Structures are given as C-alpha cells and as structure tokens.
Amino acid sequence: MSNMDKLQTSIAYLKGVGPGRADILGKELGIFTFADCLNFFPFRYIDKTKFYKINELLPNSSEVQLIGKISNLRTVKQKRGSRLTAHFTDETGSIDLVWFKGAKWIQDSIKPNTSYVIYGKLTVFNGMFNMPHPEMELLSTNKASLRSALQPVYRSTEKLTNKGINNRVMQGLVQQILKEINGRFEESLSTEILEKYRLVSKSEAMFQIHFPENQEKLFEAQKRLKFEELFFIQLQLIRKKVLRNIKFKGFVFKEIGDHFYQFYEKHLPFELTNAQKKVLKEIRKDLGSGAQMNRLLQGDVGSGKTIVALLTMLMALDNDFQSALIAPTEILATQHYNALVELLGEMEIKIDLLTGSTKTSKRKQIHADLLSGDLHILVGTHAVFEEIVQFKNLGLAIIDEQHRFGVAQRAKMWEKNHLPPHVLVMTATPIPRTLAMSIYGDLDISIIDELPPGRKMIKTVHRFDKNRLAVFHFIKEEIKKGRQVYIVYPLIEESEQLDYKDLMDGFESISREFPLPDFRISIVHGKMKSADKDYEMQRFVKGETQIMVATTVIEVGVNVPNASVMIIESAERFGLSQLHQLRGRVGRGADQSYCILMTGSKLSDDAKIRLQTMVESNDGFQIAEVDLKLRGPGDLAGTQQSGVLNLKIADISKDAQLLFLAREEAINLIKSDPNLSDPKNFLTSKTYQKIILNKENWTNIS
Ligand code: ADP
Ligand code: MG
C-alpha cells in the first residue's frame, strides 16, 4: 500500500484506538482517517527550550521552566487535609512550590541540595510567585535525555479526556502514524514555488509541525503549511473566476456615447474624486472586455457610489441596454430614485421606481415599458427579481448591497437574460483587503478610498451614562441651531423584549426632557408596521421632527443631511462595523457633525478598544482592520459561505503577507497554465483535484 492510500485508513485501525475511541475522535475533532489525524495540528507548544531566571518572571509568564534547588519542605494544615510547600531557589531569587496531593511521595523523593529542572504554570499568591504541582526532573536526567524540546499541545474536549484521550495519547497517535508512513508525504507544491519562497518540503513541514526541534523549524513548518493552505484556496477562487469569464460571455459595451458625455459635461454637479475616476476606469474596462463583469465596489458611507452607479448605467444606455439598480429597502430605493431623477435633470432618460408598494396600474405600465424598451433605468427593491418583471435587454444590474443581499441572490438576475447582465455590487461596509480576497476572491474589487473634498470629520466622543444631562444639554443647543438628532438603541435578537423595554424607557425620558411644542420626536422600531415606520421616517426626513429615536433599522442608508448628531445608546453592545455604519448617518451636510457613544461604566477590554477606535478614526478600512483583529473572520458578514472560517493553520489577519504572495502565485500559475496540465505542475494539479473532489462529495452529502 502506498503512503497516500495508507493515509486514508480509518483511524479505528490504529493501534490503541479501536471503534469506541474512533467514534469519539470523529465526533469531537472530525478525525476519521490517518490523514485527518495528521492534519489536526497542535494549537500551541510547550516551549522547553527556554530556561527562565526567577528575577525575569512576570505575572503573565504563564508556563515557565526554571533551574534551581528545592528546600524548606513543610506541611501546612488547612481546613480539609493539608498542603505541602517548598522554596525553590536559583541565584536570582526564590518562589514557592505547592502540592495539594501526593505530599508523602514528594517529600520522600526530593533530594536536597541537588539541581532540578521544574516546569509549570505560575500563579501569584499573597504577592509571591507560586507554582502548584510543578513537573520536576533532576537537572542531570534532563541533560541526558533526547527529546523534542517543543512539545505539541492538541485541542481537547471533556468527552475526549473522559475516554482517556489526553494530550499524551494524541501525541502517541500522531507519532505512530508518522512512523507507519515513514514520515513521507507526497509533495503538493511545485519545485519552482518551493524554491522561490524557500519553503520546506511537505514531509519536513508535517513532521516539524507536530514535533518541532526548535522555534526556527516550527516557524518554517508553519510558513510552509500556511502558504499551502492559502494558495489552494486562492487557486480555487481564481480558477472559478477564469472559468466564469470563459463560460459567461458578456455584452460588449463598445462605446461611451452621447448620454454619458452629455451628463458628464452638462449635469455633473461636482468634479469626481480621483478615486471615483479610477473606479470608473476599472468598470469601463470590464464592460468592454467581452466577459461578464462581476465587480464589487467598496466605498465608505458618503464616498459617492451613487454617481458611479449612474455613470455606469449611462454607459449601458449608450450601448442600448437597460439597467436595474436594486436596493435592500423601500426607503433606500426611493432615495436612490429621487437622487437619480435630480441628477439627470431634464435629460431625456426614462427612469422608474418599482417596490413592494407600487400600485398595480403603475406596475403594469412599468412591466410594459421594460418589455418595449421604453424604460431605460429601473430602480427598485427585490420586487425587481420577481419572475413577472422582464426586460427587453437588461445589460447591467447594480446591487446596493449595504450588507443585506447574499451572494445567492446575485445569481438570480442572470436568469432574466440569455446572456447574464454585467453585475456591480456596491457595499458600504469596508472589508479588509485580506478578507475581501478570501471571500470575494473570485470577484473583481474596486475601492473608493477617498471622500469628496470639504467633508468634515465627524467628531466622536465617548460619554458615560452618568453624564447624560450634559449630553441632553448639547442636543438642545444643536436643535436650537436648526439641526436634527438621532438617538439609537441596540436591538439584538436574543434579548429582544429587554431591548424593546430599553427603547421605550429611553423614549419616555427623552419625551420628558424634550417636551412639545419646542421639540418633536419620531420613533421607529422593528415592531411597527412598515407603513407607520415610513410615515415617521418621512416626518424626520422632511424636518418635521427634530429627534429620531430608533433601533438599528436606520442603519440602512437613510440620508438626512440636516441631521448632525448621532447618539448611540449602550454603544458597548455594538460591533465596530455597526458603530461605523450608524455614525455614517450624520456628516452628510455642510455642518460639523457629532457622534456620542453612551455607555455604562463597566466595560470589557474589547469594548474599550472598540470605543477608542471609533473616537480616534473615521476611516472605515482602518476600523474594519481592528474589527477583524478583535473578532476574527468568523463574525464578519459574508465569511460563512467562504472557506476563511475553516482555515486550519493560516489566519487571514495575521498572515496577510503570505496571503498576498499565495494569491499572486495562484494568479501566475493560472495565467501560465490554466488547466494545470504542464508536467511541472503535476503535483499541484493532483492536490487541487483532490480538494475539488472532496468538496463535491461534501456538497452531495449536505
Ligand atoms: P454613498 O457612497 O454613501 O452612496 P453618495 O453617493 O450618497 O454616497 O454620496 C454622498 C454625497 O456626496 C452625495 O450628496 C453626493 O452628491 C456627494 N458627492 C459624491 N461625489 C462627490 C464629489 N466627487 N464631489 C462632491 N460631492 C460628491
Ligand atoms: Mg449609497
């Protein structure tokens, strides 16, 4: 049997495992085969290469190894039983050792005036360093023994421990399998790549990842395995993209014509920012390429995505194609529609709005105009996706995602044509570049990384609940100046009832503090009928009310330029990206805007970092990076569908450099050998096929 075959052996056949333990290993750790076991990497290592001196110890040194002598053994009586303590001394100081069990055996076996190596976890007790139940070994024995200095620690669970599968057993299993296959693995990367990035071989990496000889070798093994993992993910994404370009021919928008130029020269109300120009060039190139565009347009709130959308739709129109612009809510769709109508002025372009509440007669007319080609641009909600809505020749679909549509819904648009329209997805949620590459690696990405000129920084402060009066006073001053104010309460599903109560209590106290007739207040929350919500929202938009009390429903793109203050209640309960989105509701007009983050006095460390980040930064990308570091990719939107959650060893936030290299290399490879048929890429191809096959098996099962 070859090693490759051996690796597929069920773990039950390994000596010391058997059916019972195999079952638990599968259920708890997903280990079914020999290969799974070897691919279950240690999550940390005990470093016994370093010896500390006692005067170097810090309260957070956790596990340390020391050399010294043991003295002053004595038994201390306590409530239940007794404990044994001792001094442990080196030339720089001393600490206490303590045992709660096994005192007799220890007392008898410890040799006085002899050097020991001890290892264990440090705690601080009565201001003294203290090591309970240290591992001990005579210095002479330690010096004579030959073993790997860094010891692997595998993740475990209670069920595993109960079945006697502790760390030592895991080490044993891994060791056994490595022996079975003589430590030899099939290489998965080409010699070219291995040499270019100075990566160690697969066999070397797999051995060193479990039993590293030293930190250096461990690092090399990690680097190699991380690269491999990221490389094969990127390879899949990039192949998908290439295949799609071959499979999905796109409409060719050959020229930029009258509509575009007329608008650009006569109607454009401002000069485009360089970032907007750059993005338009990228889009223009796609539209002329002959392949279907699949582009993600990222731009912070207020960065000016709407105008980019409009100019793109004019390119479609100049080539006799219709466009659709789809927004996640009715309010947003209506706002888009109004904004576009205003921008287009008296230009002869037919544009209409289709939402859930469009009247039947109007609806019928829209359907007819779409089919005849009289209607050029349709703005709408997901109502546009409905079967009955058919276009004469839809050439472009722009989806203002704001986070609400999933990848799946994007595909739906395609069914409306024999050829799929070009697709531009706009999102206001900045995603760190590393994450975008991993989730949307098969899309092209454009970024507007510059705000229109003259925009004022939103001043952000953090205030504790006890200073609420001062905050209310500030709100009154702003309202006197003619401004409007948002006050937002959290709404998190699990504690919906409680949140609702908070909101209502808050509303009541605000009503008392800001009485009629001087102040008028709107309230909007998820329990209201959508017609009532719209009514209240409209009152605020029109300036009939000065304060909008709301749950996070308003997060989704409302535009009220006169609103200049955003108060976020219980701000510690919001994630960074949500805080940033909420703050983006203000700062849309000419006035200085403010964001006040209200919190209680007890804050977790993470909450403090989030608040501080908000106070210090207005840059969505910078905030997204901090968010990724704090939470890992798991909590960020979009990661569920992507592989980034299941990464075995790489970490897209910490291993950004490697990710960029892996992507670059994957692109190079696909460019030079699209079908991976060159003999020198044989090993890569084989591994790639195996991954794809595995994936297909899984999708068939689930
Ligand atoms: P978002 O990216 O959040 O959708 P919008 O497209 O709504 O942003 O633009 C925000 C505001 O900035 C709008 O009032 C728009 O008219 C204005 N704007 C957009 N681009 C520019 C520009 N290049 N110069 C000046 N103002 C601009
Ligand atoms: Mg927008």
Side-chain angles (χ1 to χ4, degrees):
M1 206 169 19
S2 78
N3 277 349
M4 289 297 272
D5 295 334
K6 255 190 208 153
L7 282 170
Q8 296 317 313
T9 313
S10 162
I11 194 79
Y13 296 117
L14 194 64
K15 211 175 101 215
V17 179
R21 281 182 163 185
D23 190 49
I24 294 274
L25 281 169
K27 281 194 183 123
E28 295 289 296
L29 303 175
I31 296 177
F32 299 97
T33 62
F34 284 12
D36 293 338
C37 188
L38 293 183
N39 283 321
F40 185 68
F41 300 145
F43 78 106
R44 64 186 186 90
Y45 301 83
I46 294 173
D47 187 353
K48 293 195 173 173
T49 57
K50 176 148 175 71
F51 293 94
Y52 284 83
K53 296 279 179 235
I54 287 175
N55 67 0
E56 291 173 337
L57 297 179
L58 298 169
N60 63 356
S61 313
S62 64
E63 282 160 8
V64 292
Q65 183 171 241
L66 305 165
I67 300 175
K69 290 177 182 165
I70 299 169
S71 61
N72 291 56
L73 278 157
R74 64 197 182 99
T75 313
V76 184
K77 286 255 177 285
Q78 35 183 52
K79 267 185 219 134
R80 260 180 242 140
S82 61
R83 69 188 143 98
L84 177 68
T85 67
H87 285 324
F88 183 84
T89 313
D90 71 5
E91 66 276 16
T92 69
S94 78
I95 65 168
D96 280 345
L97 307 182
V98 55
W99 295 266
F100 302 96
K101 280 188 273 186
K104 171 105 183 53
W105 183 80
I106 288 157
Q107 236 161 350
D108 291 349
S109 61
I110 282 176
K111 296 188 183 153
N113 275 321
T114 311
S115 286
Y116 278 88
V117 173
I118 67 165
Y119 180 88
K121 209 173 169 131
L122 274 184
T123 56
V124 181
F125 184 72
N126 282 343
M128 252 311 254
F129 279 119
N130 183 302
M131 189 184 285
H133 290 263
E135 286 175 26
M136 298 184 294
E137 191 174 42
L138 287 171
L139 180 61
S140 50
T141 320
N142 182 279
K143 282 202 165 139
S145 74
L146 253 184
R147 74 179 86 116
S148 98
L150 284 166
Q151 294 184 10
V153 183
Y154 298 92
R155 256 179 221 298
S156 187
T157 68
E158 214 180 307
K159 280 189 185 145
L160 285 164
T161 324
N162 287 345
K163 278 267 177 185
I165 308 177
N166 57 25
N167 200 50
R168 225 168 256 168
V169 171
M170 279 304 294
Q171 286 180 19
L173 300 184
V174 172
Q175 219 156 25
Q176 258 194 79
I177 301 174
L178 283 173
K179 223 180 258 169
E180 287 265 338
I181 60 166
N182 295 319
R184 273 208 288 274
F185 291 80
E186 195 161 66
E187 187 49 68
S188 61
L189 297 171
S190 68
T191 319
E192 209 176 324
I193 290 181
L194 290 178
E195 279 172 3
K196 182 164 172 195
Y197 297 105
R198 308 228 175 95
L199 300 173
V200 298
S201 72
K202 176 97 178 182
S203 302
E204 168 75 2
M206 287 300 281
F207 180 80
Q208 296 290 346
I209 200 74
H210 290 288
F211 302 106
E213 278 165 54
N214 54 42
Q215 291 284 1
E216 180 79 31
K217 297 216 164 166
L218 173 61
F219 175 80
E220 291 301 331
Q222 285 170 329
K223 178 174 145 196
R224 141 87 212 209
L225 294 169
K226 285 173 175 182
F227 182 92
E228 175 178 346
E229 182 168 43
L230 295 168
F231 175 75
F232 280 102
I233 290 176
Q234 289 301 322
L235 201 59
Q236 289 172 67
L237 288 166
I238 288 162
R239 275 217 83 205
K240 205 161 126 193
K241 183 160 130 186
V242 168
L243 284 182
R244 193 174 47 216
N245 283 352
I246 297 167
K247 218 156 73 191
F248 294 109
K249 292 261 173 296
F251 300 118
V252 184
F253 292 1
K254 270 210 274 317
E255 49 205 295
I256 290 198
D258 289 349
H259 294 103
F260 187 96
Y261 285 122
Q262 196 197 341
F263 179 82
Y264 205 93
E265 269 141 36
K266 299 213 180 95
H267 295 264
L268 192 64
F270 36 68
E271 164 117 31
L272 294 183
T273 62
N274 285 329
Q276 286 168 321
K277 286 181 192 161
K278 175 194 72 187
V279 164
L280 276 164
K281 268 194 203 126
E282 289 164 352
I283 292 172
R284 169 81 195 98
K285 207 168 151 220
D286 284 1
L287 298 179
S289 75
Q292 182 213 16
M293 171 170 78
N294 260 289
R295 191 168 276 281
L296 180 72
L297 173 57
Q298 283 195 63
D300 216 338
V301 271
S303 61
K305 293 186 290 297
T306 313
I307 197 78
V308 172
L310 177 57
L311 285 164
T312 307
M313 293 193 285
L314 294 180
M315 290 182 204
L317 184 53
D318 279 338
N319 290 275
D320 289 323
F321 282 100
Q322 294 167 302
S323 307
L325 171 60
I326 297 143
T329 66
E330 201 157 325
I331 296 175
L332 261 184
T334 311
Q335 264 180 17
H336 271 313
Y337 174 74
N338 292 334
L340 295 182
V341 168
E342 194 182 319
L343 282 166
L344 289 171
E346 68 275 44
M347 278 180 75
E348 295 206 351
I349 292 174
K350 264 217 77 193
I351 172 169
D352 226 323
L353 175 69
L354 178 69
T355 69
S357 53
T358 305
K359 300 248 161 52
T360 315
S361 54
K362 175 79 186 170
R363 208 174 262 266
K364 277 190 180 142
Q365 180 218 319
I366 289 177
H367 292 167
D369 291 350
L370 281 175
L371 268 182
S372 69
D374 285 349
L375 189 53
H376 304 130
I377 295 174
L378 180 64
V379 182
T381 55
H382 43 271
V384 175
F385 288 127
E386 280 167 25
E387 196 64 49
I388 188 161
V389 183
Q390 295 294 333
F391 292 77
K392 181 177 178 218
N393 55 356
L394 179 64
L396 169 71
I398 300 183
I399 302 178
D400 192 0
E401 190 162 66
Q402 305 269 3
H403 241 85
R404 300 292 146 133
F405 289 113
V407 182
Q409 232 163 345
R410 246 177 259 163
K412 271 202 165 173
M413 293 299 296
W414 301 0
E415 291 162 19
K416 293 199 179 293
N417 292 65
H418 53 287
L419 264 191
H422 296 293
V423 177
L424 181 68
V425 179
M426 305 197 294
T427 166
T429 309
I431 304 165
R433 204 149 80 93
T434 52
L435 191 59
M437 268 182 193
S438 311
I439 304 174
Y440 299 116
D442 58 329
L443 301 185
D444 293 300
I445 299 174
S446 287
I447 299 176
I448 306 186
D449 51 6
E450 169 188 15
L451 292 181
R455 219 36 85 70
K456 290 202 177 80
M457 270 279 277
I458 299 166
K459 284 193 183 143
T460 304
V461 293
H462 169 209
R463 293 285 179 265
F464 291 105
D465 287 338
K466 55 177 193 263
N467 299 324
R468 186 169 296 276
L469 278 182
V471 173
F472 281 162
H473 179 74
F474 175 75
I475 296 178
K476 279 179 192 158
E477 292 297 306
E478 283 295 300
I479 292 178
K480 265 188 213 150
K481 287 191 222 156
R483 303 289 106 75
Q484 287 166 284
V485 180
Y486 292 104
I487 304 179
V488 177
Y489 287 80
L491 186 69
I492 295 166
E493 272 162 36
E494 301 100 66
S495 57
E496 206 176 328
Q497 288 304 332
L498 262 181
D499 284 337
Y500 185 65
K501 188 173 172 301
D502 282 354
L503 172 76
M504 284 330 221
D505 290 352
F507 180 60
E508 224 181 275
S509 77
I510 291 159
S511 303
R512 248 180 283 125
E513 194 66 33
F514 298 90
L516 287 165
D518 288 350
F519 302 100
R520 289 175 306 279
I521 307 172
S522 281
I523 180 166
V524 169
H525 57 77
K527 296 199 168 184
M528 289 164 70
K529 287 208 195 82
S530 95
D532 295 342
K533 257 193 268 183
D534 279 358
Y535 174 77
E536 283 297 325
M537 204 74 109
Q538 284 310 325
R539 290 212 309 153
F540 188 69
V541 171
K542 288 185 206 141
E544 292 168 12
T545 56
Q546 301 110 336
I547 300 177
M548 163 64 79
V549 178
T551 53
T552 44
V553 260
I554 58 145
E555 187 189 342
V556 188
V558 222
N559 188 21
V560 183
N562 189 48
S564 65
V565 183
M566 167 62 67
I567 315 275
I568 304 177
E569 295 286 347
S570 306
E572 73 272 29
R573 288 177 53 193
F574 289 91
L576 261 178
S577 75
Q578 219 180 2
L579 288 173
H580 181 62
Q581 290 288 307
L582 285 170
R583 177 168 62 182
R585 296 305 109 214
V586 296
R588 309 192 139 220
D591 309 300
Q592 177 60 53
S593 288
Y594 304 88
C595 175
I596 304 177
L597 307 166
M598 303 294 298
T599 74
S601 49
K602 269 198 197 135
L603 295 171
S604 69
D605 287 348
D606 276 10
K608 281 181 198 155
I609 295 176
R610 289 199 296 271
L611 294 164
Q612 192 192 348
T613 305
M614 287 296 293
V615 169
E616 285 170 4
S617 175
N618 265 269
D619 178 344
F621 284 95
Q622 205 177 324
I623 290 170
E625 292 285 354
V626 177
D627 203 23
L628 179 62
K629 289 218 172 79
L630 283 181
R631 301 202 291 172
D635 287 317
L636 299 184
T639 52
Q640 273 72 6
Q641 303 103 316
S642 70
V644 284
L645 278 188
N646 311 325
L647 289 179
K648 271 203 304 280
I649 185 163
D651 173 326
I652 57 165
S653 119
K654 292 192 193 116
D655 301 318
Q657 272 347 80
L658 271 182
L659 171 59
F660 295 143
L661 292 181
R663 182 170 173 86
E664 194 180 295
E665 207 48 55
I667 291 173
N668 286 344
L669 177 57
I670 295 290
K671 261 192 199 148
S672 66
D673 185 13
N675 295 316
L676 304 180
S677 51
D678 189 322
K680 75 174 184 206
N681 297 322
F682 174 70
L683 294 174
T684 307
S685 169
K686 197 166 159 191
T687 309
Y688 179 78
Q689 297 305 336
K690 225 170 57 199
I691 293 172
I692 299 290
L693 203 70
N694 254 327
K695 259 198 170 165
E696 277 168 6
N697 285 340
W698 278 109
T699 34
N700 287 342
I701 292 164
S702 56

